[in-house]
Structures are given as structure tokens and as C-alpha cells.
Amino acid sequence: MSPLVWDLAHIGNQEELWLVRDVGGRDPVRQDIDELYDAFQHPRAERPSLPLLNPTEARTYVREVRDKVFDVLDRTPLEGRELVENGFAFGMIVQHEQQHDETMLATHQLRKGNPVLHAPNPPAAPAERLPAEVFVPGGSFEMGTSLEPWALDNERPAHQVHVDSFWIDTVPVSNGHYLAFIDAGGYDDARWWSERGWAYRTEAGLTSPRFWHRDGDGWQRTRFGVVEPIPVDEPVVHVSYHEAEAYAAWAGKRLPTEPEWEKAARFDPDTGRSRRYPWGDEDPTDEHANLGQRHLRPAPVGAYPLGQSPLGVRQLVGDVWEWLDSDFRPYPGFRAFPYKEYSEVFFGGDYKMLRGGSFGTDKAAVRGTFRNWDHPIRRQIFAGFRCARDHRPD
Ligand SMILES: [Fe+2]
């Protein structure tokens, strides 16, 4: 990971480059540091040894940039130039900051030492019996968006996609269910793993999700420095794509594809249209989803009934990112905007898709169409999964 202070000044530097200099046409605040905070010039491993601004300097810098940006925002008509149309450049930079904020939270999760972050627990799940799976009828639906003003290039354009009927888990896979996979010897049985997944599991010596430790016959986990028993009703988090895939095979299911996930999240069978979010078109509130680091853990499975999709699928947005059985590819009609390095350079790479955001994701940086991607071995991110299948055995 980057040092936290690199992320902080990098957030300010991107804001300066795009909004102060490009959109605002103003003089640079600190041109001398551009190179230090260029993510493409310096991979994460190099960043700790760079002559970075210290925390006080970094805070002064981001404050100075923000003051100028508010002034630019006041004076810029949000039309007439594609970059600023409907405030896009501002929205892109807001999302960029929030994405780094989630990365910084993952750095906190990796950090050793006493807890420094505290937050109240998320709401409990209502006492009710939910069906284990929900049926999603086959047919085409609108995937992606052409209208969402802050949607990034890879979410565009809206297009029709046919999806065969399938069943999807109502809620993400819980720690309790994942423990059953561990207890059944799932980590020691090559049958459930892809060839690549098994090679990774063997080489890395995996026996459980990351941050879990053996405690006598059971397990504990470390969460932001707190050691605690595994909460069995919480979605499992800190598993790689390979572990998610192995669990699904063991359970007699599979991971959903990206179109399946988006259809389960957005398709309204009554109107035939796709919603912005599972619950409708309104922006997320505290009642809809566990977002924005208000809680530093996922809510128990079945929570947030007001956030469910028209078909009754819960916790698609918030709580944990969900690994999907799809690679990162452009939609038909894709056009790189505003630069190739946002998405295009990653297409076809060794990535798997993640959808829905986590408790660490800000509401500005996730929606029904938002696409995230990462290496299939990544475990420090706040990712879990749910399963799907073509047919339900009678
Ligand atoms: Fe960045």
C-alpha cells in the first residue's frame, strides 16, 4: 500500500491538475510535486522512499487546492465543454478522492498496532425468514448508463444485454456459511478450486480469509486493530476471487456474472426499466445501504430491507464488494474519457469484476452501474461475494 500521506497529497494533486489548472485555467499551486504523486510513475512499493510532503505540508497543500477549487466551481458554467458538462470533472475528482479514501481504509486494516478508528455498529437484520435465493427471469435488460452525469467511461453507454434466467442468493455469503466450507476441508480439497486458484492457495498457504487467526478450535479475526470472535451472521470479507469461486463450487453453485449482478440489482420487472440503485432512483441514505465508513464493518446478512431490489435481493450496494465471474471488458460503443488511463489500459488485463461497494465506499463512488476491478488474488480489499446458479434442484 501507499503511505497514507502519499494518498492524501495525491488526492490534492489530482484535484489541482484537473480542476485548478485544466478546468479553471489557473496557475499551478505546486507544480514541483506533480511527479512525486503521479501513480503511473511510481508504483506503490516505491512511494515510501520518495521525498513526500509531511502530514502538515500535505494538509496545507490540499486545503489550498480546495479553496481554489471552490472558487473555480463558483465561476465555471457547467456546460459548453464535455469535461465540465453537468459537473463531470468535479464529480470525477470527488469519486477519485473517495476511492483513495477507501484504499486508505484498507491500509488501516493492514496496519499493526492499537486500534485508532472507531464507529458505531451497523443496524441489525430484521427478524424474518428470507428465501435463500431469488429467481431472476430471463430476457434482456438495460445495462450501463448514458444518462448518469458522473458515470465513468467504463459504465457507458447504456445497452441491452440478454441474460438467461438464473437464481441468485438473497444475501451475501456469511461468515457462518464460509466456516462450514472451512470445516468441511474446503481449503484442502483441490476439487473445488480452479487450477490457478489451487496453485495460489497452495503457494500462499491459505487456510481462511485474510485477518482470521486460529483460536483453539475456533477462529478470531483482527478488524482495524481489534481482535474479536468471528461474527457468523456477517458477510464474509477479505477473501480473494479464487476463494469465492471455490466456495461457490463446494456449495453446488457458481459466482454470478457481471450482467447477472447488474440485472439482479437494477431490473424492475414491473416497468421493464433499469433503476439507478436497487431501491430506486434516489441517492443512497442511511436506510438503504451500509456505505461511507459510517460503520467499520458489514451489517449482518438480511439487513437494510429498504435497500432491496425489486426482485427482493438484499445488500447489493454497500457492506461488501462482490466478486463476479467476469473479466474487465469495454461495453459496446465504449469511448475512453477523459483519458485512457482511467479504464482502457486495464481492459483485458488479469482482473475480475467487483460490484456494489462496501461499508468503506462513499455513496458518491458507487451506483448500480459502477464497475470496479482487481486482481483475483487480492484479499485486503473489503470484498466478499454471493452465489448464483442456473437451476434450483427440486
Ligand atoms: Fe489516484
Side-chain angles (χ1 to χ4, degrees):
M1 305 300 278
S2 314
L4 292 172
V5 76
W6 184 91
D7 285 283
L8 178 60
H10 166 81
I11 287 166
N13 185 241
Q14 287 291 304
E15 187 169 325
E16 177 186 353
L17 290 172
W18 285 94
L19 301 181
V20 177
R21 296 191 213 165
D22 189 328
V23 172
R26 309 287 175 92
D27 289 339
V29 182
R30 290 282 306 256
Q31 201 157 27
D32 57 311
I33 59 171
D34 288 355
E35 194 266 349
L36 286 176
Y37 296 103
D38 182 336
F40 286 92
Q41 291 217 26
H42 299 291
R44 284 177 174 181
E46 275 179 28
R47 295 174 194 167
S49 50
L50 298 172
L52 303 176
L53 302 187
N54 69 33
T56 307
E57 291 165 341
R59 290 193 179 99
T60 306
Y61 171 61
V62 299
R63 201 176 307 123
E64 215 177 315
V65 170
R66 184 60 53 89
D67 285 347
K68 288 204 158 58
V69 165
F70 281 145
D71 193 53
V72 169
L73 181 59
D74 275 346
R75 290 159 198 268
T76 307
L78 301 180
E79 57 187 11
R81 182 184 168 200
E82 192 178 13
L83 187 60
V84 296
E85 203 69 45
N86 295 310
F88 177 80
F90 295 89
M92 176 180 79
I93 289 300
V94 166
Q95 293 176 80
H96 176 260
E97 172 173 343
Q98 296 301 340
Q99 284 157 10
H100 275 276
D101 207 46
E102 182 166 357
T103 303
M104 291 164 87
L105 191 66
T107 305
H108 269 284
Q109 173 60 17
L110 286 162
R111 181 188 150 264
K112 302 259 188 312
N114 292 329
V116 295
L117 300 177
H118 306 279
N121 282 333
E128 62 187 318
R129 256 190 91 80
L130 291 171
E133 292 161 289
V134 167
F135 180 73
V136 182
S140 79
F141 82 108
E142 188 187 88
M143 187 172 181
T145 178
S146 300
L147 297 174
E148 189 69 47
W150 290 6
L152 299 159
D153 60 0
N154 62 57
E155 299 167 67
R156 300 169 184 272
H159 58 290
Q160 290 289 316
V161 176
H162 175 86
V163 176
D164 287 335
S165 64
F166 67 103
W167 294 81
I168 191 164
D169 290 355
T170 308
V171 295
V173 171
S174 69
N175 285 323
H177 283 118
Y178 199 82
L179 270 167
F181 167 67
I182 297 176
D183 290 344
Y187 276 89
D188 301 314
D189 194 336
R191 263 185 308 167
W192 311 128
W193 300 71
S194 67
E195 202 176 312
R196 227 186 127 193
W198 183 249
Y200 167 61
R201 172 255 165 262
T202 305
E203 192 190 309
L206 305 185
T207 56
S208 70
R210 190 157 184 183
F211 309 112
W212 286 32
H213 339 275
R214 272 276 178 209
D215 172 43
D217 289 343
W219 294 91
Q220 290 202 315
R221 71 171 181 189
T222 305
R223 180 177 60 85
F224 302 113
V226 178
V227 178
E228 59 190 17
I230 304 293
V232 291
D233 59 349
E234 238 177 57
V236 67
V237 61
H238 300 303
V239 288
S240 61
Y241 171 84
H242 298 305
E243 289 161 289
E245 191 185 31
Y247 173 96
W250 170 79
K253 302 186 187 183
R254 58 177 175 78
L255 296 178
T257 64
E258 196 183 14
E260 285 174 341
W261 188 96
E262 189 166 322
K263 185 168 183 180
R266 299 184 61 212
F267 180 66
D268 180 350
D270 289 341
T271 62
R273 65 178 279 278
S274 292
R275 300 170 157 194
R276 292 178 68 214
Y277 296 95
W279 53 85
D281 292 341
E282 31 173 336
D283 287 341
T285 68
D286 295 4
E287 304 282 294
H288 291 127
N290 183 5
L291 292 167
Q293 305 182 14
R294 291 193 308 274
H295 314 293
L296 292 173
R297 62 197 301 165
V301 297
Y304 295 100
L306 296 181
Q308 73 178 16
S309 75
L311 296 165
V313 188
R314 294 227 178 144
Q315 289 165 297
L316 287 153
V317 169
D319 293 302
V320 293
W321 288 100
E322 299 183 20
W323 284 113
L324 298 172
D325 182 19
S326 291
D327 299 329
F328 191 30
R329 306 237 182 267
Y331 290 157
F334 169 83
R335 182 173 63 91
F337 179 76
Y339 59 120
K340 276 195 163 61
E341 285 72 21
Y342 189 80
S343 311
E344 191 172 339
V345 297
F346 299 101
F347 290 146
D350 184 21
Y351 304 107
K352 288 293 177 186
M353 300 313 291
L354 293 148
R355 286 299 201 94
S358 76
F359 62 88
T361 312
D362 190 84
K363 65 180 181 179
V366 72
R367 52 203 155 257
T369 56
F370 189 88
R371 308 175 77 194
N372 185 12
W373 63 95
D374 213 326
H375 294 293
I377 62 167
R378 190 78 81 198
R379 305 215 300 162
Q380 76 260 29
I381 56 173
F382 306 106
F385 64 99
R386 74 179 73 216
C387 301
R389 55 177 145 187
D390 299 345
H391 304 286
R392 197 156 68 159
D394 293 319

